Amino acid sequence: MKVCVSEFTYKSFQEILDKNFVNEEFIIISSEGKITKGEGKPDIALVSYEIMFKSLKSKKFFENYLKLIDGCKYVQGSWAGIESPQAQSLIEHSEIFSHGGGIHAIPIANYVFAQMLRSIKSIDDHIELQQQKKWKQMMSVGELTDMTIGIAGFGGIGQEVARLAKAFRMKVYATKRTPVLSDNLDKLFKPSQLDEMLEQSDFVVNCLPSSEETHKVFSSDQFKAMKSSAMFINVGRGESVDESSLAEALIKKEINCAAIDTTDPEPLVQDSPLWTLANCFITPHDSAWGPKAPERAVELFIENYRRLLEGKKLINQV
């Protein structure tokens, strides 16, 4: 079996790759898409981060890559979701495609709590006081204990958010289409019960993917259903949020504040009012990035390779 990985990935993880693909031949491609080791057509391939970014920036690179991996028995992506044109093309050119859902759960959950603590501990106000050289103790500083977090979409990311929430002694609610058991979950709601969950949540975390069912599921009615003291955090797809409704809710103080890492479209349009709202914290869709993300992608690739050999269904198989 021939295994296709990028030159950067092979150099970075050569020991673990050689250990787990003992009897296989590697086809190594450079950042320009040229084969630097091996020959022929690969049987399985890892679309690592550098390949993904190169594919997004260079149409020619992606076309050449598709020709190389066309007909692959198994292709592993490094990002969650399959709605992008690139993901759809990879699916079309491979027998089995597996997305990278879950490998970003830890850094994204870290981001969620960074924003929650930023709000509850009044970090921005403290920074402003420091800039003014004022020593003024703030009685508004709170804590997360006994507060309720509502998670829309209880997949890998949502479950990691729930795990951290329990460490902070929070009450955890979530929505999910199918039943799930978790020691970190106090109550599970159906997607149709979203507004019921929102009414009871101090923090609302959107982890929903992009689909017909989730398109602008967070709109005017949902923000009105939330507590006026609530914080909304979006680490799901931008398409699942009506940003004009979010801006209106923030301006009218229907909710306290928001942190958004994804928008629709991306980048966020220059004339969006969200840019200048003091109670809206914007990050450029980078909550998933972390030093261990490439390592987790390789580990998933190896695990799915084993499953492929054993005739089992792959993790995140499309």
Side-chain angles (χ1 to χ4, degrees):
M1 189 176 292
K2 296 184 178 182
V3 183
C4 182
V5 297
S6 72
E7 192 171 46
F8 177 82
T9 295
Y10 186 70
K11 288 180 178 178
S12 301
F13 302 100
Q14 183 174 356
E15 184 176 351
I16 187 173
L17 287 169
D18 287 345
K19 180 180 178 181
N20 286 277
F21 295 98
V22 178
N23 299 315
E24 317 297 4
E25 177 187 343
F26 282 101
I27 294 178
I28 312 297
I29 60 170
S30 68
S31 57
E32 288 75 36
K34 297 179 180 178
I35 296 178
T36 59
K37 179 182 179 181
E39 59 183 6
K41 299 277 289 183
D43 298 293
I44 63 175
L46 170 62
V47 189
S48 49
Y49 284 95
E50 65 278 13
I51 293 178
M52 177 180 71
F53 287 128
K54 189 75 174 181
S55 298
L56 291 171
K57 293 179 179 179
S58 172
K59 182 179 180 181
K60 183 178 180 180
F61 175 90
F62 189 54
E63 288 176 347
N64 290 335
Y65 185 72
L66 287 176
K67 290 178 183 177
L68 175 64
I69 60 96
D70 185 48
C72 257
K73 184 176 295 184
Y74 153 54
V75 172
Q76 175 68 58
S78 298
W79 63 98
I82 58 171
E83 69 276 4
S84 70
Q86 289 78 13
Q88 288 297 315
S89 294
L90 289 167
I91 292 170
E92 292 172 4
H93 286 76
S94 58
E95 292 183 22
I96 299 174
F97 179 80
S98 170
H99 63 77
I103 65 176
H104 309 102
I106 292 175
I108 291 178
N110 281 194
Y111 168 88
V112 167
F113 276 86
Q115 294 289 12
M116 288 171 59
L117 291 168
R118 173 185 182 177
S119 173
I120 201 73
K121 303 303 290 185
S122 301
I123 298 300
D124 291 79
D125 292 332
H126 279 92
I127 291 173
E128 186 175 345
L129 287 173
Q130 180 181 345
Q131 291 172 342
Q132 298 173 4
K133 298 182 180 179
K134 288 185 178 180
W135 186 274
K136 179 183 176 182
Q137 293 178 330
M138 299 182 64
M139 303 307 292
S140 63
V141 175
E143 60 180 283
L144 297 177
T145 305
D146 295 331
M147 299 190 83
T148 299
I149 184 170
I151 305 167
F154 202 59
I157 295 170
Q159 290 173 32
E160 179 63 15
V161 170
R163 187 186 70 82
L164 293 182
K166 279 304 175 184
F168 281 95
R169 300 179 174 86
M170 298 184 74
K171 186 180 294 183
V172 180
Y173 294 163
T175 66
K176 189 173 174 62
R177 288 180 298 178
T178 55
V180 63
L181 295 176
S182 172
D183 292 337
N184 299 319
L185 185 61
D186 293 293
K187 188 173 182 179
L188 183 67
F189 294 79
K190 298 177 181 178
S192 60
Q193 298 173 305
L194 174 63
D195 289 3
E196 183 182 342
M197 182 186 77
L198 299 180
E199 293 170 358
Q200 304 173 57
S201 301
D202 299 296
F203 295 89
V204 176
V205 183
N206 176 31
C207 302
L208 294 172
S210 176
S211 69
E212 291 183 7
E213 292 78 16
T214 63
H215 184 69
K216 293 188 178 181
V217 70
F218 279 95
S219 193
S220 179
D221 289 345
Q222 284 64 52
F223 295 120
K224 283 182 170 63
M226 293 181 199
K227 298 179 180 180
S228 59
S229 58
M231 179 180 193
F232 174 71
I233 302 173
N234 186 24
V235 290
R237 288 294 186 244
E239 293 86 348
S240 61
V241 178
D242 183 343
E243 288 164 7
S244 61
S245 295
L246 173 59
E248 184 178 358
L250 290 167
I251 292 170
K252 292 183 177 180
K253 300 296 178 66
E254 291 174 345
I255 62 174
N256 182 44
C257 60
I260 56 174
D261 187 55
T262 58
T263 61
D264 179 33
E266 292 186 358
L268 179 64
V269 293
Q270 290 294 304
D271 60 353
S272 170
L274 295 173
W275 281 114
T276 55
L277 293 178
N279 57 345
C280 185
F281 314 131
I282 299 171
T283 49
H285 201 163
D286 58 5
S287 66
W289 311 138
K292 288 189 173 294
E295 179 181 342
R296 294 187 183 108
V298 170
E299 290 172 349
L300 178 60
F301 182 52
I302 292 170
E303 174 60 27
N304 274 339
Y305 159 73
R306 291 172 180 161
R307 289 174 177 243
L308 185 71
L309 294 181
E310 295 170 2
K312 297 180 180 178
K313 184 177 180 179
L314 276 56
I315 299 172
N316 300 331
Q317 181 175 332
V318 176

